[in-house]
């Protein structure tokens, strides 16, 4: 097939990079020790605080989100410290792997990959922890592999009610700048993120937003760190610089993305993503397919994971859609491999892009012979643009 038009990248990240952001990074590299870079560094570090909704420090690494996960742990914990990590999907499992390799004592709370972190399970564990052996609780806010959003405020409420001093570490990689996330109000101690999803920037930047409590913990933590060391970063960040060579052109891109988000406004960004989540789920229900997330209060507005009927391979469906319509959908990961596909609807995204995405899925279901009902796209359009109430026909002047 000869491909015309634009490729539809509808995986849950990396996401489509807006033209403004691409143009912003398309310029000559500047001296990362000069005054022009200092202005860039300070603008980015200040703008990020608004997105994380924090008054604290935000540290930027040239790294993936996984690198930022490691940074969160090595800066706050010591060998043998106990951490509670909730099993919510593939990415919570990555947290467990990192923690295991760092020599931490991991309590991996079992989950079914269809629900978020359980505040009730956490309460039982922390209530039994009389000696405060648990030093950190790790929650993936939005599980990219399942489309399940954990209710972080409820987790913090349990910790506060019990007066437990553990740090709360939250992975917001596929939720930041898509769904309401209030770091300071929710009393999150470390928030981890990456550049390639809601922030609308290519992969390559990892973030740690840190509370004063986490900063104090870092001064006592004994896990080895060098590249990831917050203290070294903060010394240089105060004046807009970094202790090593930064990803200069990605920072140009991030500055432009932050401008775009400021222009739209966080509340409008959250409303936009909520509309897309609602419309996508309306389409899935109309097709007669099953959404992986089983708790409506935990539906993700970043992406939707969908089961294919038994006996029908989601990877074959994805292959047919890619070959015929030049659209990439996310594969099922971990326990969902060969069972589900994922539709990304986050970042630099609009109504027509969603309509095109869901049209591609519906046409793919036909071509792949996947049992479904017609009308998913129309259900999504009705969700996006509810029909006006019927009234008397207007009289047309002649």
């Amino acid at each position: 097939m000869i491909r015309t038009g634009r490729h539809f990248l509808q995986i849950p990240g990396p996401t489509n990079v807006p033209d403004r952001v691409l143009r912003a990074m398309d310029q000559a590299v500047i001296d990362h020790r000069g005054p022009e870079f200092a202005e860039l560094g300070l603008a980015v570090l200040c703008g990020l605080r608004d997105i994380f909704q924090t008054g604290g420090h935000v540290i930027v690494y040239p790294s993936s989100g996984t690198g930022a996960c490691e940074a969160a742990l090595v800066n706050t914990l010591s060998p043998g410290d106990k951490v509670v990590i909730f099993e919510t999907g593939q990415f919570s499992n990555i947290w467990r792997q990192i923690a295991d390799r760092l020599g931490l004592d991991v309590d991996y709370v079992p989950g079914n990959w269809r629900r978020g972190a359980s505040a009730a399970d956490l309460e039982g564990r922390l209530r039994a922890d009389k000696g405060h052996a648990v030093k950190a609780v790790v929650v993936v806010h939005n599980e990219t592999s399942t489309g399940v959003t954990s209710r972080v405020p409820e987790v913090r409420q349990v910790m506060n009610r019990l007066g437990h001093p553990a740090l709360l570490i939250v992975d917001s990689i596929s939720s930041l700048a898509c769904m309401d996330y209030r770091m300071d109000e929710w009393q999150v101690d470390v928030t981890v993120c990456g550049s390639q999803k809601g922030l609308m920037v290519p992969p390559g930047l990892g973030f740690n937003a840190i509370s004063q409590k986490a900063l104090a913990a870092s001064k006592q933590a004994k896990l080895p760190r060098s590249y990831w060391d917050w203290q070294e970063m903060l010394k240089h960040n105060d004046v807009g610089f970094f202790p090593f060579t930064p990803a200069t052109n990605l920072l140009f891109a991030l500055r432009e993305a932050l401008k775009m988000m400021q222009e739209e406004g966080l509340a409008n960004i959250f409303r936009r993503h909520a509309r897309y989540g609602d419309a996508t789920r309306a389409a899935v229900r109309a097709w007669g397919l099953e959404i992986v997330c089983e708790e409506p209060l935990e539906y993700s507005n970043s992406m939707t994971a969908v089961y294919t009927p038994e006996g029908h391979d989601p990877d074959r469906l994805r292959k047919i859609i890619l070959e015929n319509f030049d659209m990439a959908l996310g594969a099922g990961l971990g326990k969902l491999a060969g069972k589900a596909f994922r539709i990304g609807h986050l970042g630099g995204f609009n109504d027509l892009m969603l309509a095109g995405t869901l049209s591609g899925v519906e046409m793919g279901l036909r071509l792949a012979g996947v049992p479904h009902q017609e009308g998913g796209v129309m259900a999504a359009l009705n969700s996006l643009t509810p029909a006006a109430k019927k009234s008397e026909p207007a009289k047309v002047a002649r």
Side-chain angles (χ1 to χ4, degrees), residues 226-246:
S226 175
Y227 181 80
W228 304 116
D229 189 6
W230 288 347
Q231 304 299 331
E232 194 65 25
M233 287 285 280
L234 292 174
K235 289 178 192 175
H236 293 77
N237 285 176
D238 282 345
V239 288
F241 294 116
F242 293 80
F244 41 64
T245 304

Side-chain angles (χ1 to χ4, degrees), residues 84-88 107-111 118 121-122 125:
V84 174
I85 302 175
F86 284 91
E87 181 188 9
T88 50
D107 178 7
Y108 195 50
V109 184
S118 167
D121 282 350
L122 180 63
R125 280 166 163 78

Side-chain angles (χ1 to χ4, degrees), residues 32-45:
H32 62 286
R33 301 289 180 227
E36 186 180 354
F37 184 89
E39 291 180 10
L40 170 66
L42 289 172
V44 165
L45 293 170

Side-chain angles (χ1 to χ4, degrees), residues 110-307:
N112 68 354
W113 288 45
R114 304 193 69 180
R115 286 181 176 256
S118 167
D121 282 350
L122 180 63
E123 181 160 4
R125 280 166 163 78
L126 296 187
R127 193 176 293 279
D129 182 30
K130 304 298 184 184
H132 295 163
V134 174
K135 302 301 180 186
V137 175
V138 177
V139 176
V140 178
H141 183 217
N142 186 75
E143 178 54 71
T144 318
S145 63
T146 66
V148 175
T149 302
S150 288
R151 288 171 274 180
V152 174
E154 294 183 12
V155 172
R156 170 47 79 182
Q157 287 165 13
V158 165
M159 298 172 74
N160 287 351
R161 186 165 62 249
L162 298 178
H164 200 287
L167 297 169
L168 177 57
I169 300 175
V170 176
D171 178 334
S172 72
I173 290 175
S174 61
S175 60
L176 192 77
C178 303
M179 292 175 258
D180 197 4
Y181 184 82
R182 309 180 187 188
M183 177 166 172
D184 286 358
E185 183 177 325
W186 297 352
Q187 299 174 54
V188 177
D189 293 301
V190 186
T191 300
V192 172
C193 195
S195 57
Q196 74 276 16
K197 297 184 187 280
L199 292 175
M200 306 181 293
V201 173
L205 297 177
F207 307 92
N208 280 178
I210 57 178
S211 71
Q212 286 300 313
K213 181 179 174 181
L215 191 58
S218 74
K219 295 174 181 176
Q220 307 299 322
K222 297 296 190 295
L223 280 172
R225 57 193 186 270
S226 175
Y227 181 80
W228 304 116
D229 189 6
W230 288 347
Q231 304 299 331
E232 194 65 25
M233 287 285 280
L234 292 174
K235 289 178 192 175
H236 293 77
N237 285 176
D238 282 345
V239 288
F241 294 116
F242 293 80
F244 41 64
T245 304
T248 307
N249 287 52
L250 286 177
L251 293 175
F252 284 139
L254 180 58
R255 180 171 62 181
E256 189 65 25
L258 291 170
K259 287 180 184 177
M260 292 175 66
M261 287 184 276
Q262 184 180 42
E263 290 165 7
E264 185 175 0
L266 271 183
N268 292 325
I269 291 172
F270 300 151
R271 277 193 289 270
R272 174 166 58 84
H273 282 82
R275 290 179 66 242
Y276 298 154
D278 287 342
T280 302
R281 291 186 290 271
V284 175
R285 292 190 192 98
W287 290 325
L289 301 180
E290 186 178 1
I291 298 167
V292 170
C293 180
E294 62 184 7
E295 170 51 70
L297 292 174
E298 296 176 343
Y299 283 151
S300 169
N301 289 330
S302 296
M303 50 79 56
T304 302
V306 184
Y307 283 115

Side-chain angles (χ1 to χ4, degrees), residues 6-72:
R6 296 191 70 168
H7 172 64
F8 268 56
L9 182 66
Q10 300 315 137
I11 61 176
T15 60
N16 302 282
V17 178
D19 289 342
R20 273 180 62 177
V21 175
L22 291 172
R23 288 194 296 269
M25 64 189 292
D26 182 18
Q27 56 185 293
V29 177
I30 61 174
D31 174 13
H32 62 286
R33 301 289 180 227
E36 186 180 354
F37 184 89
E39 291 180 10
L40 170 66
L42 289 172
V44 165
L45 293 170
C46 180
L48 284 168
R49 292 190 182 102
D50 294 336
I51 305 302
F52 283 91
Q53 298 196 60
T54 182
H57 296 286
V58 180
I59 290 174
V60 184
Y61 297 102
S63 79
S64 66
T66 306
C69 295
E70 180 169 334

